[in-house]
């Protein structure tokens, strides 16, 4: 009969339980026998001794209280007649009963009768004591016999149990070890490995399945499919050799591949990523969620090996015909470029600072040349000096902007945030450009909403931004034009500052780039560094504000920014 592994284990358990049951049953039988014999000793013999002792007590009371003594004697005599258990005890009890009858009747030799009764009672007690001794000896012999039998039985069961426990695990573990060894051989691509188990249970079936698998793998190794696998492995090798971290997702959001660089950045193992759903991994990994959901390619920072690294993200869509698009997320390490950029910023800051001093000195020297106390200049010389002054001022302005830009890029913008009246910023900005406006005959019109609360801002940098707006508006406005500068409420806790000109305007296609560094609107013919609006945006956003533009061709331009009107708690 073929038994499966479950049945064999069950039979082993039943066998051990049977051994335990046998030991328990034998122990119970002998213990029950000892208890029964002990109970019989107490019931049969100890009670007879107790009755005899009480009858002796009754005889003693006869001398003090005859009626009470006779009553007590008769009571225990009746009990003794019902508890005759030993040979000869019945004759002594019958004689005792006759003596008692004579004792109750008048006349006769009372002393002799009492003496005979005492003798019979002593004989009853002696007879039962001898029986107790005899039965106790028999019980001791039974106990020793039971002890010996139970000891032998327990020893035999322990030997059988230990033998079973020692051999039974091997019955289970040995096939498992062979199967494990075979699996390791298969993992090492030794497809000729076979397992031989002369068993008809599940292990035998597993050995047969393993041998069948090894045979199929051996065939597969030499088939055309092996070539496909080789190509797949080669593709994976190429992906892993890519310098940039790459993650591939199919059109259902399932992760197809992630090279070693990507796994290192995500701090995950290959088994945690491949074949997983994108939505599932987004819940467990914040960086992966950012890579999938981010809407822009803004550089981001990751700390790897205790070093700050900077990366950019790019999503490449792969869209076969009539099918949803798959995608590849490419994560490029731009840390070397970032380090070069920082070095560039520091270089600009240093050079700008070093150049500013001699330029300021040159500007002072030009002013001295214009002083007639130094000497009179010809008309041509004055024109040359004025041209030098204009170029010098333009260089100083560019150097100032470069210094501000280096401060912005280094992330060391130092803000002096305080509650400032918007009218103070308003007046300071206008006073800085009033002469330039007069030279071009440009009118500055003020539109101020009354009772404006203070704004929470850096006064100096905010005035710089307004000044930049006004300077650009004057530069790009025709002569005899008008510029409108406004301050008004924007919601419950913000104020809007704006400068509007009526020049040529800016095409909407350039609105997104107008605040980028070094960008200048094509075709304007105006000279400039292209840094002023970029620095303005950094200054306003550093203060928690927003900056923007409204413009169109032939409609002029309105530059504005919003700042909070109350300091944070």
């Amino acid at each position: 009969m073929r038994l499966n592994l479950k049945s064999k284990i069950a039979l082993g358990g039943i066998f051990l339980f049977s051994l335990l049951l046998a030991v328990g049953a034998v122990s119970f039988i002998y213990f029950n026998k000892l208890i029964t014999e002990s109970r019989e000793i107490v019931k049969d013999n100890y009670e007879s001794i107790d009755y005899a002792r009480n009858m002796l007590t009754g005889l003693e009371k006869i001398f003090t209280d005859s009626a009470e003594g006779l009553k007590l004697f008769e009571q225990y005599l009746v009990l003794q007649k019902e508890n005759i258990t030993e040979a000869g005890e019945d004759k002594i009890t019958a004689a005792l009963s006759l003596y008692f009858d004579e004792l109750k009747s008048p006349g006769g030799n009372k002393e002799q009768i009492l003496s005979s009764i005492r003798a019979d009672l002593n004989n009853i007690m002696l007879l039962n004591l001898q029986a107790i001794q005899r039965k106790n000896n028999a019980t001791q012999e039974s106990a020793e016999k039971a002890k010996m039998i139970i000891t032998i039985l327990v020893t035999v069961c322990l030997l059988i149990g230990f033998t079973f426990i020692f051999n039974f695990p091997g019955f289970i573990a040995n096939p498992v070890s062979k199967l494990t060894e075979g699996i390791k051989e298969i993992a090492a691509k030794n497809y000729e490995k076979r397992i031989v188990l002369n068993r008809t249970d599940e292990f035998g079936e597993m050995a047969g399945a393993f041998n069948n698998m090894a045979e199929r793998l051996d065939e597969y190794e030499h088939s055309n499919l092996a070539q496909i696998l080789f190509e797949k492995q080669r593709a994976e090798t190429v992906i892993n050799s890519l310098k940039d971290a790459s993650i591939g997702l199919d059109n259902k959001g399932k992760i197809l591949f992630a090279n070693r660089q990507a796994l290192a950045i995500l701090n995950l193992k290959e088994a945690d990523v491949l074949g997983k759903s994108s939505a599932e991994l987004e819940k467990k990994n914040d960086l992966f969620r950012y890579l999938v959901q981010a809407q822009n390619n803004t550089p981001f920072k990751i700390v790897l090996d205790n070093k700050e690294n900077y990366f950019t993200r790019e999503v490449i869509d792969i869209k076969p015909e009539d099918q949803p698009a798959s995608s590849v997320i490419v994560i490029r390490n731009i840390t070397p470029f970032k380090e070069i950029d920082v070095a560039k910023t520091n270089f600009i800051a240093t050079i700008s600072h070093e150049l500013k001093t001699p330029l300021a000195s040159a500007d002072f020297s030009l002013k001295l040349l214009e002083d007639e106390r130094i000497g009179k200049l010809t008309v041509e010389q004055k024109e040359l000096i004025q041209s030098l002054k204009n170029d010098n001022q333009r260089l100083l302005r560019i150097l100032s902007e470069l210094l501000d830009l280096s401060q912005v890029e280094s992330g060391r913008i130092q803000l002096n945030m305080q509650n400032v009246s918007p009218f103070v910023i308003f007046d300071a900005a206008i006073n800085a450009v009033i002469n330039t406006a007069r030279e071009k005959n440009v009118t500055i019109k003020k539109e101020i909403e009354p009772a404006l609360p203070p704004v929470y801002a850096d006064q100096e940098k905010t005035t710089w931004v307004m000044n930049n707006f006004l300077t650009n508006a004057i530069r790009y406005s025709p002569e005899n034009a008008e510029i409108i500068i406004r301050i008004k409420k924007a919601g419950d806790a913000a104020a809007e500052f704006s400068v509007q000109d009526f020049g040529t305007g800016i095409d909407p296609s350039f609105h997104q780039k107008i605040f980028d560094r070094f960008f200048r609107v094509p075709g304007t013919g105006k000279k400039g560094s292209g840094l002023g609006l970029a620095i303005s945006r950094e200054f306003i956003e550093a203060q928690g504000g927003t900056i923007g533009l409204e413009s169109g061709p032939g409609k002029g331009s309105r530059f504005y920014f919003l700042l909070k009107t109350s300091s944070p708690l």
Side-chain angles (χ1 to χ4, degrees), residues 429-491:
I430 293 176
N431 292 334
V433 299
I434 192 67
N435 292 330
T436 306
R438 285 174 183 171
E439 290 176 1
K440 203 171 181 179
N441 200 23
V442 172
T443 303
I444 300 177
K445 182 181 178 181
K446 305 176 184 178
E447 292 184 4
I448 304 173
E449 186 173 326
L452 281 174
V455 292
Y456 187 65
D458 183 306
Q459 179 179 340
E460 179 183 351
K461 289 181 172 55
T462 306
T463 302
W464 190 96
V465 175
M466 283 296 293
N467 190 358
N468 182 262
F469 283 0
L470 286 168
T471 301
N472 288 340
I474 294 170
R475 180 184 303 167
Y476 291 100
S477 294
E479 292 187 1
N480 305 315
E482 182 183 67
I483 295 173
I484 301 175
I485 180 170
R486 295 187 183 93
I487 309 177
K488 64 178 182 179
K489 288 183 180 179

Side-chain angles (χ1 to χ4, degrees), residues 8 81 92 140 143 153 161 189 215 219 224 239 243 265 275 300 315 374 377 392 406 460 499 501 536 543 551:
K8 292 178 180 179
K81 289 179 180 180
I92 299 173
Q140 291 295 326
L153 183 60
K189 295 188 176 183
E215 184 177 353
E219 295 174 359
N224 292 332
I239 291 171
K243 183 178 180 181
I265 292 173
F300 56 94
V315 179
I374 302 298
L377 300 175
N392 203 51
S406 64
E460 179 183 351
V499 175
D501 65 58
S536 297
Q543 298 178 69
S551 182

Side-chain angles (χ1 to χ4, degrees), residues 14-29:
I14 292 172
F15 174 71
L16 291 177
F17 179 76
S18 300
L19 293 178
L20 181 63
L21 188 63
V23 173
V26 172
S27 300
F28 176 78
I29 291 171

Side-chain angles (χ1 to χ4, degrees), residues 528-544:
S529 64
L531 293 174
L533 291 177
I535 296 172
S536 297
R537 181 179 65 178
E538 298 290 346
F539 281 171
I540 294 302
E541 291 181 351
Q543 298 178 69

Side-chain angles (χ1 to χ4, degrees), residues 49-120:
I49 294 172
D50 186 59
Y51 297 157
R53 181 178 59 78
N54 285 306
M55 282 188 282
L56 286 173
T57 303
L59 288 180
E60 298 299 329
K61 284 188 176 182
I62 290 175
F63 296 102
T64 57
D65 187 350
S66 176
E68 182 65 24
L70 292 173
K71 181 179 178 181
L72 180 63
F73 187 93
E74 187 176 10
Q75 176 185 349
Y76 285 101
L77 179 61
V78 172
L79 293 173
Q80 170 59 26
K81 289 179 180 180
E82 296 175 354
N83 192 42
I84 296 173
T85 57
E86 302 300 326
E89 189 176 359
D90 53 345
K91 294 181 180 180
I92 299 173
T93 301
L96 189 62
S97 178
L98 292 175
Y99 287 131
F100 179 68
D101 291 338
E102 291 179 5
L103 183 64
K104 289 192 297 181
S105 61
N109 188 353
K110 301 296 184 180
E111 289 295 333
Q112 185 177 359
I113 293 172
L114 289 172
S115 177
S116 298
I117 290 173
R118 288 191 183 96
D120 287 341

Side-chain angles (χ1 to χ4, degrees), residues 370-436:
E370 288 181 322
D371 193 335
E372 293 185 355
R373 290 176 295 179
I374 302 298
K376 291 185 178 182
L377 300 175
T378 64
V379 176
E380 290 82 3
Q381 288 174 334
K382 287 182 178 180
E383 290 177 353
L384 288 173
I385 289 176
Q386 185 61 42
S387 177
L388 288 171
K389 283 180 63 178
N390 292 338
D391 290 339
N392 203 51
Q393 289 296 324
R394 186 164 62 87
L395 286 173
L396 284 171
R397 185 171 63 253
I398 291 173
L399 288 174
S400 296
E401 290 178 347
L402 287 173
L403 283 172
D404 290 331
L405 179 64
S406 64
Q407 186 184 55
V408 167
E409 289 184 337
S410 63
R412 294 192 294 269
I413 301 178
Q414 296 180 356
L415 299 175
N416 182 21
M417 302 294 289
Q418 56 185 334
N419 289 323
V420 183
S421 171
F423 309 111
V424 172
I425 299 172
F426 193 88
D427 292 337
I430 293 176
N431 292 334
V433 299
I434 192 67
N435 292 330
T436 306

